[in-house]
Amino acid sequence: MIITIHPQATSEERAHLMSLLCRMTGSQRPISSTQIANREVIALDGGHLDAQAQNLLQQQNAVERVTVVKTPYQLVSRAFKPESTSVVIGKNRDCTSVIVGDTTASPVIMAGPCAVENKEQLMETALAVKEAGAHVLRGGAFKPRTSPYQFQGLGVDGLHLLSDARDETGLPVVTEVMEPEMVEVVAQHADVLQIGARNMQNFPLLNAAGRNSHKRPVLLKRGLSATIDEWLLAAEYIVAAGNPNVILCERGIRSYDPQTRNVLDLTCVPLLQQLTHLPIIVDPSHATGRSELVPVMSRASIAVGASGLIIEVHPDPNTALCDGKQSITPAQLQKIVHESRMLTHMLQ
Ligand code: PEP
Ligand code: MN
């Protein structure tokens, strides 16, 4: 259940509503509200509230509207907000602004190395992906590696290199944050906070990303074996914590066949478009784990309606410190950008 607060509600009317809600829900803690679609809203697990309780809430002066949402996720549901959300990347920064989820525009292409390795590698890749037509630069400074003996990323030094690359190219930057304590530092340098597949249900991290003081958008990757509902509830944490700017990223789910790294679930794109107003992009690199499959699965992703792609690109994939097998070259990226524009044009 979602309660939309009346914009003209007085502080007494609000206080009255809050204490009523505390009594109704048995909550010991103050009820928190969040801002979505230019309105202050309160989302509740309304499963146990009957029609009488809903009526009582609807009659409160502080209440503009009570919306009953039947899914476990509330604020991210299309039932609550029928119009699609566009997420603006690169606001309040000296770089190009990019909109993810604008249905009239070509898909947003995010590209760059899996890991920031050094200044030369990042700068060369950043300039090359820009030249190839990418809109956002990706690059991991904190890397969630399966083995503790693998390259773990440059950490804060990598963040500084990403900032330099933005200054040089004008491309906004997306990079992963793995710990709640690092959210503010990463948000100082990044234009989008990436929450990786392994952390999709790291609830303290989701809350911290939702509260980040820079109001950076969050790119939330699907967990290794997350259901759609689990994924949307993870997005709900971020939105409920105060950040409505969430981009969902399908990056393949774990299955039994080692031929590909994961199974790219493209069905989830049109399905999510029914369930949520949030934009969705696809990562064909981590989904397939094979560079030769990235171009065709990029085309497929656009064909099913993805709002963008995030692709790993390396100037010399054979020498990459991380995920070289799935990394494509800038020349291959250029072809994908061209094809995605043509495809969008055809589909409109
Ligand atoms: C990445 O983008 O480099 C990454 C680690 O992705 P994922 O969390 O999807 O595995
Ligand atoms: Mn990677």
Side-chain angles (χ1 to χ4, degrees):
M1 175 189 288
I2 301 171
I3 297 150
T4 307
I5 310 271
H6 204 289
Q8 261 103 51
T10 64
S11 51
E12 288 79 22
E13 288 167 343
R14 286 175 51 105
H16 185 256
L17 172 67
M18 295 303 177
S19 71
L20 178 66
L21 284 173
C22 281
R23 263 183 285 132
M24 276 178 157
T25 59
S27 173
Q28 302 301 313
R29 288 184 298 152
I31 304 269
S32 64
S33 66
T34 186
Q35 206 73 26
I36 189 161
N38 297 324
R39 280 287 189 277
E40 187 184 353
V41 296
I42 296 170
L44 294 174
D45 178 1
H48 61 284
L49 295 180
D50 57 15
Q52 206 183 350
Q54 286 166 29
N55 267 340
L56 181 61
L57 285 170
Q58 187 68 73
Q59 284 157 16
Q60 300 305 304
N61 287 340
V63 173
E64 182 176 60
R65 174 162 77 103
V66 176
T67 319
V68 177
V69 177
K70 295 210 168 76
T71 49
Y73 44 90
Q74 303 274 311
L75 300 169
V76 304
S77 71
R78 215 181 257 283
F80 171 60
K81 180 172 178 277
E83 63 284 1
S84 299
T85 292
S86 293
V87 174
V88 184
I89 296 176
K91 252 192 208 160
N92 311 322
R93 272 266 218 230
D94 205 8
C95 66
T96 321
S97 281
V98 176
I99 302 173
V100 183
D102 176 354
T103 45
T104 62
S106 295
V108 168
I109 310 292
M110 308 184 186
C114 176
V116 178
E117 297 173 10
N118 55 59
K119 189 174 169 69
E120 293 67 37
Q121 170 252 15
L122 182 64
M123 219 46 101
E124 182 182 349
T125 317
L127 290 167
V129 300
K130 182 181 181 179
E131 181 69 29
H135 310 97
V136 177
L137 174 66
R138 66 147 286 150
F142 298 94
K143 293 306 305 174
R145 302 307 301 276
T146 301
S147 161
Y149 308 118
Q150 293 170 323
F151 177 60
Q152 304 286 308
L154 297 181
V156 175
D157 291 346
L159 296 179
H160 285 277
L161 293 179
L162 286 165
S163 276
D164 294 347
R166 173 184 44 245
D167 292 346
E168 185 71 27
T169 59
L171 295 180
V173 161
V174 53
T175 196
E176 178 160 357
V177 56
M178 298 203 299
E179 300 167 75
E181 298 73 26
M182 293 304 287
V183 162
E184 287 299 311
V185 181
V186 175
Q188 263 170 35
H189 295 276
D191 301 290
V192 182
L193 303 173
Q194 177 174 326
I195 296 190
R198 289 154 195 81
N199 271 315
M200 188 203 83
Q201 284 189 315
N202 180 339
F203 302 115
L205 181 61
L206 298 171
N207 278 328
R211 287 192 306 258
N212 86 81
S213 64
H214 295 83
K215 298 239 173 284
R216 302 280 181 238
V218 178
L219 179 73
L220 180 65
K221 291 190 129 192
R222 184 177 187 176
L224 302 180
S225 55
T227 64
I228 303 254
D229 278 14
E230 287 164 346
W231 188 10
L232 289 174
L233 282 167
E236 182 86 13
Y237 266 87
I238 302 168
V239 178
N243 187 350
N245 299 309
V246 178
I247 302 161
L248 300 170
C249 177
E250 159 63 28
R251 46 77 74 203
I253 43 176
R254 184 63 70 87
S255 189
Y256 54 85
D257 192 341
Q259 283 280 352
T260 56
R261 185 169 174 178
N262 290 294
V263 172
L264 178 51
D265 175 14
L266 282 182
T267 309
C268 84
V269 178
L271 181 58
L272 281 163
Q273 285 170 346
Q274 293 176 29
L275 302 176
T276 180
H277 52 84
L278 297 175
I280 168 146
I281 69 165
V282 172
D283 174 348
S285 309
H286 291 88
T288 62
R290 297 170 67 139
S291 60
E292 80 278 15
L293 298 179
V294 169
V296 64
M297 296 320 285
S298 296
R299 293 199 290 273
S301 304
I302 302 303
V304 295
S307 292
L309 300 168
I310 181 163
I311 299 177
E312 287 188 339
V313 177
H314 198 284
D316 182 11
N318 289 326
T319 64
L321 293 183
C322 185
D323 286 350
K325 248 182 71 186
Q326 66 196 36
S327 299
I328 61 169
T329 61
Q332 289 170 307
L333 179 72
Q334 187 163 23
K335 200 156 171 255
I336 292 175
V337 173
H338 178 68
E339 285 171 354
S340 77
R341 280 191 196 139
M342 301 237 299
L343 202 47
T344 313
H345 202 69
M346 255 179 61
L347 294 170
Q348 271 170 354

